[in-house]
Amino acid sequence: MKIPDIQNQSDSRNIVIDKVGVKGLRYPIVVEDRINKTQHTVAELDIYVELPHYLRGTHMSRFVEILHHYHQEALIGNLENFLNELKDSLQAEAAYININFPYFISKKAPISHISSILSYDCEFSASLKEEYDLLIGVRVPVTSLCPCSKEISAEGAHNQRSIISIKARYQEFVWLEELIEIAESSASCEIYSLLKRVDEKYVTEKAYNNPKFVEDIVREVTLKLEQDDRITGFLVESENAESIHSHNAYALISRLHK
Amino acid sequence: MKIPDIQNQSDSRNIVIDKVGVKGLRYPIVVEDRINKTQHTVAELDIYVELPHYLRGTHMSRFVEILHHYHQEALIGNLENFLNELKDSLQAEAAYININFPYFISKKAPISHISSILSYDCEFSASLKEEYDLLIGVRVPVTSLCPCSKEISAEGAHNQRSIISIKARYQEFVWLEELIEIAESSASCEIYSLLKRVDEKYVTEKAYNNPKFVEDIVREVTLKLEQDDRITGFLVESENAESIHSHNAYALISRLHK
Amino acid sequence: MKIPDIQNQSDSRNIVIDKVGVKGLRYPIVVEDRINKTQHTVAELDIYVELPHYLRGTHMSRFVEILHHYHQEALIGNLENFLNELKDSLQAEAAYININFPYFISKKAPISHISSILSYDCEFSASLKEEYDLLIGVRVPVTSLCPCSKEISAEGAHNQRSIISIKARYQEFVWLEELIEIAESSASCEIYSLLKRVDEKYVTEKAYNNPKFVEDIVREVTLKLEQDDRITGFLVESENAESIHSHNAYALISRLHK
Amino acid sequence: MKIPDIQNQSDSRNIVIDKVGVKGLRYPIVVEDRINKTQHTVAELDIYVELPHYLRGTHMSRFVEILHHYHQEALIGNLENFLNELKDSLQAEAAYININFPYFISKKAPISHISSILSYDCEFSASLKEEYDLLIGVRVPVTSLCPCSKEISAEGAHNQRSIISIKARYQEFVWLEELIEIAESSASCEIYSLLKRVDEKYVTEKAYNNPKFVEDIVREVTLKLEQDDRITGFLVESENAESIHSHNAYALISRLHK
């Protein structure tokens, strides 16, 4: 039986489609881990190509088929090959993949030194047009404590959970763990899943002695990223879930298009 | 043209369906407002009936049709009539409606007395089986400050945004505003959209002088609800977005089925 | 009592912050309605300014204070004034506001002509740097039916709910309703909250006779927007919740930066 | 240094707290896999205890500490031991854990037999009061095709992605895969991540020849669960993302408390 290939029809509307493909595909992956070599996790994938003006449709089954060519353990180390194969298979001028996943790190509490595991939402975002481009990203939960509230109040200071996001482009390899450390060291205090009372005393006092506005956080991250010669572009955001409001405080610095 | 009525076919599987209907229908509504008499807002509706064992399907278009009989301003005041009409139209033994909506209240900052608007997610949940039953619900953002962190630390105390949820059944009318006040007065401090520096000093110090565990919050709400003779059943939750963790602290007390 | 102004401290890090402000502020608004003149709805607001390198922080309370200067009914018609006031008050080179809200339109079913209300997520996104810029946006639920599935199958064709998103910049006023009509007329069939059986027959057959790939949808919207002289830039997306997969099909065409 | 234990203070309000603990804790886990023996995935955990009336607070750090006693590979096989240790450590009358995680199954396309991976949101929900109780749950994406739309239309029929949810209590071991098969066999057609054209023809025609209302789906699942002697209680839901509406169709049958 011959089954017609409708997607392969020619298209006379003469319109290139910037991105077309699959979105929200969940897939188990293995990522490199600075301590344990590898880590199993679960990703959500968006995979797109640019569609030439003369084709009516792309072949979405090939996106998933090519993905399965890369055994789940090999995908992350072969993103450029994956995008190349996608471009060739689909006669595309450009190909894109976004990979979002939780990444787990074992941390020791600051005083008791008891270990616990904290998760960070991370991202690889790769594209291949004339050149290959890769952005890596982390979203890091931290504590922020308000300098104004501390200064004007007789006692105490409002503080809250904040999320610091960093996306970075590099010319020499950078670990996700390194971006996470940059974020954590730029907040009022870092966060742990397990804190005994001696640790809770420590993080409370550390945050109180280390107040940061949302503006301070993104500027401190920026200073650190600018001083790292491996990093060639970045975007920093901080979003603070203000404990005294029901809206958030937010700041963004972009050095992606320098 | 005669169009067949498939839903109306008889069903031999002999299984009552507890709830069947429409979910996630967005609809503009008008609700009663203690200060301004009425308030326009936007609701998400779930509407269900119990389906008798002898019918293959319900008629979902009638759910929306009957909803439109109740001009948007009249729905909330006529929930029992609405459910009665639904039961009759669909040969149902029971009918249900959940109405979720943001509700806005103008609040004055504690010292500067500048007004601003805060939103609260509210809910009406009505059912009609042999008897009519109505639960009203509020979700109230507040500040909680940790008593342990305060006690053990030289200075400061971790605090965070928390959401206190109350669902209540009453025998005499209770305003949403009354449940909101019960929640706000049971936290370390209430929340405002607009705070000048004098106000920020006040709320910081008030929270510091009024530390509450998640357990304290649900117990204080419980005491107040038990002392109100109009209220015949309730469920209280508090979820605190811990500023020192990336998970939440949570507590629940249910007195719905007493 | 003199309360220190910490935000107003000078900053020596010499880093401009691209955007800083409040995010996720909920606020009741009134928008223009082509049929009913005005419509009450509920918005979520993000409001930012650019922070000069010499200031440590912005004054977030002023964002909400200036918002309240604009009585809720006047905000949408005065976005440029609002941004100007914000820039002046905060010594900023740029100011931004995003306003996201559900917008309701009463629609008549295609054959029975019974009216019902459908909601569309809409957006105003305004910025003021040297010049004022406004993007308006709509997210439109529609039905898409797969041309390939129809062609290769003996009977039937898979179809699904899709969301077509349009953001547009204009030089002459364009109604949200006009963008919605462009989206609905580019799908396999438009969507209604209430359909009687005669209507369900109509929309089923219309979609079957009008198959569209996700690629067809964004190209047809593009053709219509390019033919409208009032529109000077746009971005179109379609995301189809494929009924035969658990991931989505997605396409994007951007003509924003031409 | 002696650090005071505030949570351990006695409480005079005389109110038992039904549930108190941690919510939204992300944690890597290993689950049993019928084909591959084990599978690495990522869970979100809620862990609660009942708090006696005489204690002011629970010790939340112990929840995470006890969790870490169970090496990640052993947790799922030791839920009753975990809850017992939690009860003892926290002087609690009851303990609870909910574990939500994506679970991946490799499936062969129906005609081409090409393999691809599909993810299912699964759940273990365990409690220990006087007795140990375990519910296992699956959320299964499927295709549903409307019998009414098919019957009344000259050609075609609206269809959509639906989610069938099953929670079940058993007296003899039941695999997640078995509940998933019950759900998939009760829909118009099952779903795959990868379908070649021959497969797309097959699933389109299979769904068209197998129309199901949301009511049919929950009744067929119910019949199958009632016929399985291992299963002693269950709850079934189906939610269909109607392609002709922007709200969903929903049905629920509960046999949990029989």
Side-chain angles (χ1 to χ4, degrees):
Chain A
M1 186 181 60
K2 177 71 174 60
I3 295 192
D5 184 346
I6 306 295
Q7 282 89 346
N8 220 29
Q9 291 173 339
S10 67
D11 201 284
S12 61
R13 284 168 292 197
N14 201 31
I15 298 173
V16 170
I17 296 180
D18 296 280
K19 291 183 179 175
V20 58
V22 298
K23 192 172 167 76
L25 182 68
R26 289 206 297 180
Y27 200 77
I29 62 170
V30 176
V31 293
E32 282 190 279
D33 178 316
R34 192 165 54 167
I35 303 295
N36 305 304
K37 287 200 176 152
T38 60
Q39 173 172 150
H40 291 267
T41 185
V42 162
E44 192 164 296
L45 307 179
D46 306 325
I47 313 175
Y48 310 127
V49 294
E50 187 181 299
L51 188 72
H53 68 85
Y54 54 82
L55 284 179
R56 180 164 179 206
T58 192
H59 290 85
M60 299 220 184
S61 67
R62 293 193 202 157
F63 288 71
V64 184
E65 216 169 359
I66 295 171
L67 181 66
H68 282 76
H69 290 183
Y70 291 81
H71 180 270
Q72 65 182 76
E73 307 201 10
L75 174 66
I76 303 301
N78 283 289
L79 290 180
E80 188 171 357
N81 292 340
F82 170 77
L83 292 177
N84 247 318
E85 193 173 338
L86 203 63
K87 269 184 66 173
D88 289 349
S89 169
L90 296 163
Q91 304 169 253
E93 295 292 310
Y96 305 87
I97 185 167
N98 298 321
I99 304 172
N100 285 278
F101 56 95
Y103 184 74
F104 293 89
I105 297 180
S106 180
K107 301 178 69 170
K108 283 191 196 319
I111 306 299
S112 71
H113 302 303
I114 299 178
S115 290
S116 63
I117 294 170
L118 191 62
S119 83
Y120 302 87
D121 288 313
C122 292
E123 180 179 5
F124 296 127
S125 183
S127 63
L128 180 62
K129 210 159 172 169
E130 290 91 50
E131 296 192 359
Y132 176 67
D133 186 49
L134 174 67
L135 283 179
I136 66 170
V138 295
R139 289 171 53 79
V140 181
V142 297
T143 307
S144 65
L145 185 138
C146 179
C148 171
S149 169
K150 175 183 175 178
E151 181 70 24
I152 65 182
S153 303
E155 292 178 299
H158 79 78
N159 53 79
Q160 51 271 320
R161 197 189 296 162
S162 302
I163 303 289
I164 303 176
S165 304
I166 303 176
K167 295 188 185 187
R169 182 179 284 129
Y170 56 70
Q171 56 190 0
E172 252 179 276
F173 185 75
V174 174
W175 289 97
L176 294 172
E177 285 87 343
E178 293 177 277
L179 296 185
I180 289 167
E181 286 163 7
I182 286 174
E184 291 183 337
S185 64
S186 302
S188 295
C189 191
E190 61 185 294
I191 263 178
Y192 304 84
S193 292
L194 173 51
L195 295 169
K196 301 304 291 179
R197 277 204 301 283
V198 286
D199 304 308
E200 186 170 355
K201 173 180 168 58
Y202 174 87
V203 297
T204 302
E205 293 171 357
K206 179 171 176 191
Y208 190 78
N209 292 317
N210 203 19
K212 307 270 184 185
F213 287 126
V214 70
E215 294 93 334
D216 293 322
I217 292 172
V218 292
R219 277 176 167 149
E220 294 199 15
V221 172
T222 293
L223 283 178
K224 289 168 191 164
L225 293 171
E226 285 182 337
Q227 283 157 14
D228 191 322
D229 288 341
R230 299 171 301 170
I231 290 171
T232 58
F234 60 85
L235 184 141
V236 185
E237 296 165 281
S238 183
E239 184 164 351
N240 300 8
E242 301 291 288
S243 66
I244 61 169
H245 297 302
S246 66
H247 58 264
N248 295 346
Y250 174 82
L252 174 152
I253 292 174
S254 175
R255 297 289 183 274
L256 277 181
H257 300 292
K258 260 192 1 194
Chain B
M1 185 180 63
K2 178 71 175 57
I3 296 191
D5 184 348
I6 306 296
Q7 283 88 349
N8 219 31
Q9 292 173 341
S10 66
D11 201 283
S12 61
R13 285 168 291 197
N14 200 30
I15 298 173
V16 171
I17 296 180
D18 296 280
K19 291 183 178 175
V20 58
V22 297
K23 191 173 168 75
L25 181 68
R26 289 207 297 181
Y27 201 77
I29 62 169
V30 176
V31 294
E32 283 190 278
D33 178 316
R34 192 166 54 167
I35 303 294
N36 304 304
K37 288 197 176 157
T38 61
Q39 173 172 149
H40 290 267
T41 185
V42 161
E44 193 163 297
L45 306 178
D46 305 326
I47 313 175
Y48 310 127
V49 295
E50 187 181 300
L51 188 72
H53 68 85
Y54 54 82
L55 284 179
R56 180 164 178 205
T58 192
H59 290 86
M60 300 223 184
S61 67
R62 293 193 203 158
F63 288 71
V64 184
E65 215 170 358
I66 294 170
L67 180 66
H68 282 76
H69 289 184
Y70 291 81
H71 181 271
Q72 64 182 75
E73 305 200 12
L75 174 66
I76 303 301
N78 283 289
L79 290 180
E80 189 171 358
N81 292 340
F82 169 78
L83 292 177
N84 247 319
E85 193 173 339
L86 203 63
K87 268 183 68 173
D88 289 350
S89 168
L90 296 163
Q91 304 168 251
E93 295 293 310
Y96 305 88
I97 185 167
N98 298 320
I99 304 172
N100 285 279
F101 57 94
Y103 184 74
F104 293 89
I105 297 180
S106 180
K107 300 178 69 170
K108 284 192 196 318
I111 306 297
S112 71
H113 301 304
I114 299 179
S115 291
S116 63
I117 295 171
L118 191 62
S119 84
Y120 303 87
D121 287 313
C122 294
E123 181 179 4
F124 297 127
S125 185
S127 63
L128 180 64
K129 211 161 171 168
E130 291 92 50
E131 296 192 0
Y132 176 69
D133 186 49
L134 174 68
L135 283 179
I136 67 171
V138 296
R139 287 171 54 79
V140 182
V142 298
T143 306
S144 64
L145 186 138
C146 179
C148 171
S149 170
K150 175 182 174 178
E151 181 70 23
I152 66 182
S153 304
E155 292 178 300
H158 79 78
N159 53 79
Q160 52 271 320
R161 197 188 298 162
S162 302
I163 303 288
I164 304 176
S165 303
I166 304 175
K167 294 188 187 189
R169 182 179 284 129
Y170 57 70
Q171 54 190 3
E172 252 180 276
F173 185 76
V174 173
W175 289 98
L176 295 172
E177 285 88 344
E178 293 178 279
L179 296 184
I180 290 168
E181 286 162 7
I182 286 174
E184 292 184 337
S185 64
S186 303
S188 295
C189 190
E190 60 185 296
I191 263 178
Y192 304 84
S193 292
L194 173 52
L195 295 168
K196 302 304 292 180
R197 277 203 303 283
V198 287
D199 304 309
E200 186 170 355
K201 174 179 168 58
Y202 174 88
V203 298
T204 302
E205 293 171 357
K206 181 172 175 190
Y208 190 77
N209 292 318
N210 203 19
K212 309 268 184 185
F213 287 125
V214 70
E215 293 93 336
D216 293 321
I217 292 172
V218 293
R219 277 176 167 149
E220 294 200 14
V221 172
T222 293
L223 283 178
K224 289 169 190 164
L225 292 171
E226 285 181 336
Q227 283 157 14
D228 190 323
D229 288 342
R230 298 170 302 169
I231 290 171
T232 58
F234 60 86
L235 184 141
V236 185
E237 296 165 281
S238 184
E239 184 163 352
N240 298 8
E242 300 291 287
S243 66
I244 61 169
H245 297 303
S246 67
H247 58 263
N248 295 345
Y250 174 83
L252 173 152
I253 293 174
S254 175
R255 296 291 182 271
L256 277 180
H257 300 291
K258 260 202 337 205
Chain C
M1 185 181 61
K2 177 71 174 57
I3 296 192
D5 183 347
I6 306 296
Q7 283 88 347
N8 219 29
Q9 290 173 341
S10 66
D11 201 283
S12 62
R13 284 168 292 195
N14 199 30
I15 298 173
V16 170
I17 296 180
D18 295 280
K19 291 183 178 175
V20 58
V22 298
K23 192 173 167 76
L25 181 68
R26 288 207 298 180
Y27 201 77
I29 62 169
V30 176
V31 293
E32 282 190 279
D33 178 316
R34 193 166 53 167
I35 304 294
N36 305 304
K37 289 201 175 150
T38 61
Q39 174 173 147
H40 291 266
T41 185
V42 161
E44 193 163 297
L45 307 178
D46 305 326
I47 313 175
Y48 310 127
V49 295
E50 187 181 300
L51 188 72
H53 68 85
Y54 53 83
L55 284 178
R56 180 165 178 205
T58 193
H59 290 86
M60 299 221 184
S61 67
R62 292 193 204 159
F63 288 71
V64 183
E65 215 169 359
I66 294 170
L67 180 66
H68 282 76
H69 289 184
Y70 291 82
H71 180 271
Q72 65 181 77
E73 305 199 12
L75 175 66
I76 303 300
N78 284 290
L79 290 179
E80 189 171 356
N81 291 341
F82 170 77
L83 292 177
N84 247 318
E85 194 173 339
L86 203 63
K87 268 183 67 173
D88 289 350
S89 169
L90 296 163
Q91 303 169 254
E93 295 292 310
Y96 305 87
I97 185 167
N98 298 321
I99 305 173
N100 285 278
F101 56 95
Y103 183 74
F104 293 89
I105 297 180
S106 180
K107 299 179 70 170
K108 282 190 197 319
I111 305 297
S112 71
H113 302 303
I114 299 179
S115 290
S116 64
I117 294 171
L118 191 62
S119 83
Y120 302 87
D121 287 314
C122 293
E123 180 178 5
F124 297 127
S125 184
S127 64
L128 180 62
K129 210 159 173 170
E130 290 92 51
E131 295 191 2
Y132 176 69
D133 186 49
L134 174 68
L135 283 179
I136 65 171
V138 296
R139 288 170 55 80
V140 181
V142 297
T143 307
S144 65
L145 185 138
C146 179
C148 172
S149 170
K150 175 182 174 178
E151 181 70 22
I152 65 182
S153 304
E155 292 179 298
H158 80 76
N159 53 79
Q160 50 271 321
R161 197 188 296 162
S162 303
I163 303 288
I164 303 176
S165 303
I166 304 175
K167 295 188 186 187
R169 183 178 283 128
Y170 58 70
Q171 53 190 1
E172 252 179 276
F173 185 76
V174 173
W175 288 98
L176 295 172
E177 284 88 343
E178 293 178 277
L179 296 184
I180 290 168
E181 285 162 8
I182 286 174
E184 291 183 337
S185 64
S186 303
S188 295
C189 191
E190 61 185 294
I191 262 177
Y192 303 84
S193 291
L194 172 53
L195 295 169
K196 302 305 291 181
R197 276 204 302 284
V198 287
D199 304 309
E200 186 169 356
K201 173 179 168 57
Y202 175 87
V203 298
T204 302
E205 293 172 357
K206 181 172 176 190
Y208 190 77
N209 291 317
N210 203 19
K212 309 269 183 184
F213 287 125
V214 71
E215 295 93 333
D216 293 321
I217 292 172
V218 293
R219 277 177 167 149
E220 294 199 14
V221 172
T222 293
L223 282 177
K224 289 169 191 164
L225 293 171
E226 284 182 337
Q227 283 157 13
D228 190 323
D229 288 342
R230 298 170 302 170
I231 290 171
T232 58
F234 60 86
L235 184 142
V236 185
E237 295 164 283
S238 183
E239 184 164 351
N240 299 8
E242 300 292 287
S243 66
I244 61 169
H245 297 304
S246 67
H247 59 264
N248 295 346
Y250 174 82
L252 173 152
I253 293 175
S254 174
R255 298 288 183 273
L256 277 181
H257 300 292
K258 256 180 32 176
Chain D
M1 186 181 60
K2 177 73 174 57
I3 295 191
D5 184 347
I6 307 296
Q7 282 89 347
N8 220 30
Q9 290 173 341
S10 67
D11 201 283
S12 61
R13 284 169 291 197
N14 200 31
I15 298 173
V16 171
I17 295 181
D18 296 280
K19 292 183 178 175
V20 58
V22 298
K23 190 172 168 77
L25 181 69
R26 289 206 297 179
Y27 200 77
I29 62 170
V30 176
V31 294
E32 282 190 279
D33 178 317
R34 192 166 53 167
I35 304 295
N36 305 303
K37 287 197 175 157
T38 61
Q39 174 173 149
H40 291 266
T41 185
V42 162
E44 193 164 296
L45 307 178
D46 306 326
I47 313 174
Y48 310 127
V49 295
E50 187 181 300
L51 188 71
H53 69 84
Y54 54 82
L55 284 178
R56 180 163 178 205
T58 192
H59 289 85
M60 300 222 184
S61 68
R62 293 194 203 158
F63 289 71
V64 184
E65 215 170 358
I66 294 170
L67 181 66
H68 283 75
H69 290 184
Y70 291 82
H71 182 270
Q72 64 183 74
E73 305 199 11
L75 174 65
I76 302 301
N78 284 290
L79 290 180
E80 188 170 356
N81 291 341
F82 170 77
L83 293 177
N84 246 319
E85 193 173 338
L86 202 64
K87 269 183 66 173
D88 289 350
S89 169
L90 295 163
Q91 304 169 252
E93 295 293 311
Y96 305 87
I97 184 167
N98 298 321
I99 304 173
N100 285 279
F101 57 93
Y103 183 73
F104 294 89
I105 297 181
S106 180
K107 300 179 70 169
K108 283 192 197 318
I111 305 297
S112 71
H113 301 303
I114 300 179
S115 290
S116 63
I117 295 170
L118 191 62
S119 83
Y120 302 87
D121 288 314
C122 293
E123 181 178 4
F124 297 127
S125 185
S127 62
L128 180 62
K129 211 159 172 168
E130 291 91 50
E131 297 192 358
Y132 176 68
D133 186 50
L134 174 67
L135 283 179
I136 66 171
V138 295
R139 288 171 53 79
V140 181
V142 297
T143 307
S144 64
L145 185 138
C146 178
C148 172
S149 170
K150 175 183 175 178
E151 180 71 23
I152 66 182
S153 304
E155 292 179 299
H158 79 78
N159 54 80
Q160 51 271 321
R161 196 188 298 161
S162 302
I163 304 289
I164 303 175
S165 303
I166 303 175
K167 295 188 185 186
R169 183 179 283 128
Y170 56 70
Q171 54 190 0
E172 252 179 276
F173 185 76
V174 174
W175 289 97
L176 295 172
E177 285 87 343
E178 293 178 277
L179 296 185
I180 289 168
E181 286 162 8
I182 286 174
E184 291 184 336
S185 64
S186 303
S188 295
C189 191
E190 60 184 295
I191 263 178
Y192 304 84
S193 291
L194 173 52
L195 295 169
K196 301 305 291 181
R197 277 204 301 284
V198 288
D199 304 309
E200 185 169 356
K201 174 179 169 57
Y202 174 87
V203 297
T204 302
E205 293 172 357
K206 180 172 176 192
Y208 189 77
N209 292 316
N210 203 19
K212 307 269 185 185
F213 287 126
V214 71
E215 294 93 335
D216 293 321
I217 292 171
V218 293
R219 277 177 168 148
E220 294 200 14
V221 172
T222 293
L223 283 177
K224 289 168 190 164
L225 293 170
E226 285 182 337
Q227 283 157 13
D228 190 323
D229 287 343
R230 299 170 301 169
I231 291 171
T232 58
F234 61 86
L235 183 140
V236 185
E237 296 165 281
S238 183
E239 183 163 351
N240 300 8
E242 301 291 287
S243 65
I244 60 168
H245 296 304
S246 66
H247 58 264
N248 295 346
Y250 174 82
L252 174 152
I253 293 174
S254 174
R255 297 289 182 272
L256 277 180
H257 299 293
K258 260 197 348 197

